[in-house]
């Protein structure tokens, strides 16, 4: 594997398979005696410039369970918030830490941190990508279907979000055929639609019905991502037809399952009824963040 995980483009198909295999092993072994502790004696920094529930907690718990120690940093409260450069920060943190997990705004900041640090850097969400989430999503799909190649996934809503970007990449790598239903204003990135990156595919349409056809999974994400709050009103209006409700869910395969990275804005992109129905596997998905990130850290920092 490469030193860093900044987007799924850092991964080969073999890397993906190794992550999925180790995730399953760590999940099965959790709480049992003699589990691997590859981070024993090591400290991992976690830098957050944006809010988080799942990512912060699952990384901290994961680091602990792997024998390591997590050092949480609110990015704005570090000296970066007062103008210390990212390269200088990288040169300092690499003297203390075995790795850095970072959630921030610009993907280029994470790339700069990784380029200047000798230690691994893991992207825990930027405006562009959320690789740890989508690797978890593939792991969750694999658990439910026993394979990833040939699965069909519909994605509804903001096709321009970090989630849509990352899901396009991971779908291609994992052999999943992803169809994004999104309006022109929030259509997916053309370069990511066009990218050749494995056996799967990513296509865009404006029709929810077309995207849902034969879907094994339907995925949605918030209409207003962190950092885009000033666009809230316009987004809510334009994305309204893309709400995941029971009628839409019924357009997929009879056993179509519901995925959402969470947090959900109930009543906006997804109804209460769908969130709480038996087809919804969103809390299994949330749990899997822990297992998959433990696998990623073991492979990169162990
Ligand atoms: N899905 C996800 O990354 O959740 P948090 O924002 O709570 O970390
Ligand atoms: N697209 C969302 C994902 C949250 C996990 C955001 O960036 O806010």
């Amino acid at each position: 594997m490469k030193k860093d995980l900044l987007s799924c483009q850092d991964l080969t198909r073999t890397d993906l398979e190794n992550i999925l295999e180790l995730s399953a092993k760590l999940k099965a072994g959790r709480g049992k005696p003699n589990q691997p502790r590859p981070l024993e004696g090591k400290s991992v920094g976690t830098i957050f410039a944006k809010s988080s529930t799942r990512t912060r907690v699952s990384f901290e718990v994961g680091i602990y369970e792997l024998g390591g120690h997590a050092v949480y940093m609110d990015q704005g409260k570090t000296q970066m918030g007062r103008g210390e450069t990212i390269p200088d920060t990288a040169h300092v943190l690499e003297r203390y830490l075995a790795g850095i997990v970072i959630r921030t705004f610009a993907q280029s900041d994470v790339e700069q941190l990784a380029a200047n640090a000798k230690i691994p850097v893991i992207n825990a969400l930027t405006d562009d990508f959320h690789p740890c989430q989508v690797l978890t999503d593939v792991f969750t799909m694999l658990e439910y279907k026993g394979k990833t190649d040939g699965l069909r996934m519909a994605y509804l809503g903001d096709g321009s979000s970090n989630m849509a970007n990352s899901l396009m990449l991971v779908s291609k790598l994992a052999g999943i055929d992803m169809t994004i239903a999104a309006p022109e204003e929030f259509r997916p990135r053309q370069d990511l639609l066009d990218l050749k990156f494995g056996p799967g595919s990513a296509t865009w349409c404006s029709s929810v019905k077309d995207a849902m056809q034969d879907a094994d999974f339907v995925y949605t994400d918030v209409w207003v991502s962190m950092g885009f709050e000033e666009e809230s009103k316009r987004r809510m209006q334009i994305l309204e037809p893309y709400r995941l409700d029971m009628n839409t869910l019924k357009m997929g395969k009879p056993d179509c399952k519901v995925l959402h990275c969470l947090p959900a804005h109930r009543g906006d992109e997804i109804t209460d009824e769908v969130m709480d129905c038996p087809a919804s596997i969103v809390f299994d998905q949330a749990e899997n963040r822990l297992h998959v990130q433990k696998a990623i850290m073991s492979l990169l920092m162990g």
Side-chain angles (χ1 to χ4, degrees):
M1 274 184 56
K2 280 194 177 173
K3 174 177 82 73
D4 310 296
L5 176 61
L6 308 185
S7 98
C8 290
Q9 273 188 280
D10 288 326
L11 301 173
T12 62
R13 173 79 182 209
T14 307
D15 294 333
L16 173 69
E17 285 164 4
N18 289 341
I19 291 168
L20 296 173
E21 198 184 310
L22 185 55
S23 302
K25 221 158 130 184
L26 292 169
K27 182 170 183 173
R30 187 172 183 227
K32 298 196 177 132
N34 303 320
Q35 290 307 299
R37 290 169 66 82
L39 298 184
E40 188 83 61
K42 296 179 183 174
S43 295
V44 177
T46 64
I47 303 174
F48 284 81
K50 289 178 175 174
S51 304
S52 173
T53 298
R54 279 145 289 271
T55 307
R56 179 177 173 184
V57 175
S58 57
F59 265 108
E60 286 194 20
V61 170
I63 292 163
Y64 169 76
E65 291 185 7
L66 294 175
H69 168 67
V71 182
Y72 173 78
M73 288 165 271
D74 173 344
Q75 189 175 330
K77 295 271 164 53
T78 69
Q79 295 290 7
M80 279 188 281
R82 298 180 59 253
E84 188 168 23
T85 68
I86 292 174
D88 287 350
T89 305
H91 297 318
V92 172
L93 292 182
E94 70 189 8
R95 305 286 178 113
Y96 309 133
L97 301 169
I100 300 171
V101 173
I102 179 165
R103 165 170 291 194
T104 194
F105 293 86
Q107 180 73 14
S108 57
D109 286 354
V110 175
E111 284 165 7
Q112 203 186 13
L113 185 69
N116 285 280
K118 291 191 186 80
I119 53 176
V121 173
I122 296 175
N123 177 1
L125 182 147
T126 62
D127 290 347
D128 291 331
F129 296 112
H130 196 2
C132 297
Q133 178 68 55
V134 298
L135 290 166
T136 301
D137 302 337
V138 168
F139 177 70
T140 308
M141 290 189 252
L142 180 64
E143 274 191 319
Y144 274 87
K145 294 286 175 188
K147 61 166 193 174
T148 59
D149 287 288
L151 292 177
R152 295 184 66 85
M153 176 175 68
Y155 174 97
L156 312 181
D158 181 4
S160 65
S161 73
N162 44 15
M163 285 309 309
N165 290 345
S166 304
L167 284 167
M168 283 191 270
L169 290 174
V170 90
S171 294
K172 290 184 184 196
L173 199 58
I176 295 165
D177 295 314
M178 175 186 186
T179 307
I180 299 177
E184 172 73 38
E185 290 86 340
F186 299 109
R187 55 164 295 168
R189 269 169 56 172
Q190 194 62 46
D191 61 320
L192 295 177
L193 285 170
D194 293 343
L195 187 78
K196 301 241 175 314
F197 188 56
S201 64
T203 48
W204 169 56
C205 62
S206 57
S207 155
V208 167
K209 193 159 174 264
D210 290 352
M212 288 300 294
Q213 196 175 349
D214 292 325
D216 297 293
F217 293 93
V218 55
Y219 203 115
T220 191
D221 181 19
V222 290
W223 290 342
V224 184
S225 285
M226 292 181 279
F228 294 82
E229 289 78 8
E230 75 285 356
E231 298 176 9
S232 290
K233 210 171 144 217
R234 187 170 149 259
R235 285 172 164 268
M236 302 293 248
Q237 278 164 0
I238 296 172
L239 290 166
E240 233 244 272
Y242 294 86
R243 174 172 300 123
L244 177 54
D245 60 17
M246 275 317 223
N247 282 336
T248 301
L249 178 57
K250 284 184 197 133
M251 293 174 189
K253 280 193 180 154
D255 63 346
C256 180
K257 297 273 184 281
V258 176
L259 294 165
H260 191 312
C261 55
L262 305 180
H265 286 201
R266 289 168 173 257
D268 291 340
E269 78 277 1
I270 189 167
T271 61
D272 280 326
E273 222 183 339
V274 173
M275 269 291 282
D276 300 328
C277 78
S280 168
I281 56 171
V282 300
F283 298 113
D284 289 343
Q285 188 186 355
E287 178 195 320
N288 284 336
R289 291 291 301 278
L290 172 67
H291 312 302
V292 172
Q293 288 162 189
K294 280 170 73 179
I296 295 167
M297 288 189 287
S298 303
L299 292 166
L300 293 184
M301 303 169 190

